[in-house]
Amino acid sequence: MAAPESVGFDPTRLQRLHDALDADVTEGTYDGALVAVGRNGQLAALEEVGYFDRQTQQPIKQTDLLLTMSVNKQFLNVVALSFVERGLLQLTQPIVEVLPEFGQRGKNRVALWHVLTHTSGVFSGVAPLPPEDLAQYQKWAEYVSGTAPESEPGTQVIYSLLGAHAVLASVLVAVDPDKRTLRQVLQDELFDPVGMADTSLGPSGDGRPIAPVVQRYSRPSGIFHAAEIEAVGGLITAEGTEMPGGGGITSIHDLWRFAEMLRAGGVAGENRILSPATIDLATRNWTGDKVNSLFNYAVDIRNWQPWPATVGLGFFVRGEALTPGPLPNLASSRSYGGWGAGSTIFWVDPERDLTFAMLTTGILEDTDHIVRCQKLSDLVLAAVVE
């Protein structure tokens, strides 16, 4: 830990982050939060507020394990980009060159970069599969391969909840020269070299408790219905689950380490995960002014104007527009990160050498979550005075 003032924060202003978290938890808006804020590679704040499990009054601790939700996509995306750097894949390569069965019903021209930018047009919803199949990426990939595209590749941003990353996982396993399982690929290529000792795809099997998934919705539905989000949590925490689009388990230290690796230009300790050139390419806005159709419902229920999706190669990018969230409006335009349904976020502001990571308990409806993410993140940026 560094003294906040030593890395350019006004401590009084940074205290507003803790106060906001404490007020939210006290009001019952959500149950608990772990937030790590760093600058220049040093932690300036590590907040642990509220409950790991409100029902049992168990306080949340920085060593606790929580779900990543869709932040796990960024873990997989980084490994995919590292495979591009090794020459195992190319960004413009059609997926059918690796998975011939994927090309059914007009998907032959979907390329890797389309998957990373959510412009592939592949099936975006929840597959009508039995629970035991929903928990396995191979079954997802098989289902997605047999569906018709929802749009022409590159023409629309249609966020794929789980299907596109099941396909991406299948691609990584197929081209891996060592023929490893998906779990082992993630472990060897990312978790171990970055020092993410608490992170796994699905439960690690070590018996450590994982925070319960309990919804705290303010309205009946969002991206998921209130009951659905708890069911998704049950799937993710079941032994043997492999849902690369959202099924990770992690700790706040590990999520911050991941963000720090990106801020440091792809380096973690003595290990290089990505090159600075790849991070620069991946954190540009590759979707222009296209909106993310996932949030069509939010435009109606929140009376918001549509806003640009600003998606890079596997990351959400701040861009220039004023938006409802989740990335902070006060961040520089090249800031980037990822977030997960109702619960998680990380981002990096490269201009300010600033990293932010958050895991929470008590799942919010997604529009409430992205508003929370932006509010808390902007409190941090408003505390930067040097």
Side-chain angles (χ1 to χ4, degrees):
M1 295 291 295
E5 58 270 25
S6 72
V7 289
F9 286 101
D10 179 329
T12 302
R13 284 173 164 258
L14 194 57
Q15 177 65 28
R16 295 172 182 170
L17 171 65
H18 176 88
D19 295 343
L21 292 167
D22 189 60
D24 287 347
V25 171
T26 300
E27 291 169 7
T29 306
Y30 47 95
D31 295 349
L34 298 167
V35 181
V37 177
R39 198 164 188 218
N40 307 325
Q42 295 180 282
L43 269 174
L46 183 57
E47 301 290 347
E48 40 185 12
V49 178
Y51 303 98
F52 177 81
D53 184 345
R54 188 186 285 269
Q55 183 175 357
T56 63
Q57 297 290 289
Q58 183 177 347
I60 201 165
K61 306 185 300 298
Q62 60 184 269
T63 54
D64 285 335
L65 299 181
L66 283 74
L67 274 60
T68 63
M69 293 301 190
S70 285
V71 163
N72 205 76
K73 290 182 174 70
Q74 278 72 53
F75 298 164
L76 199 72
N77 296 340
V78 164
V79 174
L81 292 170
S82 75
F83 274 30
V84 172
E85 290 194 338
R86 292 170 58 184
L88 299 172
L89 292 168
Q90 290 78 47
L91 289 170
T92 57
Q93 182 176 12
I95 298 298
V96 292
E97 289 187 3
V98 180
L99 303 176
E101 65 277 12
F102 175 77
Q104 302 173 54
R105 306 182 70 181
K107 299 193 294 299
N108 285 314
R109 294 184 295 112
V110 175
L112 177 61
W113 79 270
H114 294 131
V115 174
L116 292 173
T117 57
H118 289 279
T119 60
S120 67
V122 303
F123 179 78
S124 60
V126 177
L129 298 171
E132 62 271 17
D133 290 347
L134 285 173
Q136 301 301 321
Y137 76 91
Q138 301 95 330
K139 295 293 185 180
W140 267 94
E142 180 181 331
Y143 178 83
V144 170
S145 295
T147 59
E150 297 175 353
S151 65
E152 286 292 308
T155 61
Q156 296 183 51
V157 180
I158 305 177
Y159 185 88
S160 180
L161 296 176
L162 294 166
H165 278 73
V167 172
L168 181 58
S170 299
V171 167
L172 296 181
V173 170
V175 302
D176 177 35
D178 298 320
K179 306 301 179 187
R180 294 167 292 181
T181 65
L182 179 61
R183 288 176 186 269
Q184 202 60 50
V185 168
L186 285 166
Q187 198 71 41
D188 295 345
E189 302 294 334
L190 182 65
F191 301 155
D192 284 348
V194 177
M196 298 165 68
D198 296 326
T199 307
S200 59
L201 179 61
S204 66
D206 64 3
R208 290 177 63 186
I210 301 166
V213 178
V214 180
Q215 60 86 13
R216 303 295 181 209
Y217 275 31
S218 62
R219 52 184 59 81
S221 66
I223 296 173
F224 294 100
H225 288 284
E228 287 176 337
I229 197 65
E230 294 187 354
V232 168
L235 280 177
I236 293 171
T237 54
E239 291 296 331
T241 290
E242 290 186 309
M243 298 172 66
I249 311 296
T250 195
S251 66
I252 191 61
H253 285 285
D254 278 9
L255 185 56
W256 186 71
R257 287 187 184 100
F258 177 73
E260 265 300 299
M261 176 273 293
L262 296 167
R263 182 205 64 84
V267 172
E270 298 180 353
N271 300 310
R272 176 164 292 284
I273 311 303
L274 293 175
S275 68
T278 293
I279 293 177
D280 178 70
L281 185 73
T283 57
R284 300 178 191 178
N285 174 16
W286 289 107
T287 58
D289 293 329
K290 296 181 180 70
V291 300
N292 186 348
S293 64
L294 178 74
F295 286 113
N296 287 345
Y297 82 94
V299 172
D300 294 329
I301 69 170
R302 301 295 295 245
N303 299 317
W304 290 343
Q305 292 292 318
W307 68 96
T310 54
V311 185
L313 297 173
F315 300 96
F316 294 96
V317 182
R318 163 68 183 91
E320 300 286 351
L322 291 175
T323 75
L327 295 181
N329 279 321
L330 289 178
S332 63
S333 62
R334 288 295 299 273
S335 298
Y336 59 91
W339 62 283
S343 57
T344 60
I345 188 172
F346 78 91
W347 52 262
V348 177
D349 186 334
E351 185 176 303
R352 296 179 176 87
D353 264 344
L354 186 61
T355 50
F356 179 98
M358 180 173 73
L359 300 172
T360 64
T361 55
I363 306 294
L364 296 184
E365 185 274 317
D366 281 285
T367 61
D368 290 334
H369 175 51
I370 66 174
V371 168
R372 167 181 61 180
C373 288
Q374 188 171 86
K375 177 187 77 171
L376 297 174
S377 298
D378 277 335
L379 287 175
V380 169
L381 281 154
V384 177
V385 293
E386 293 180 12

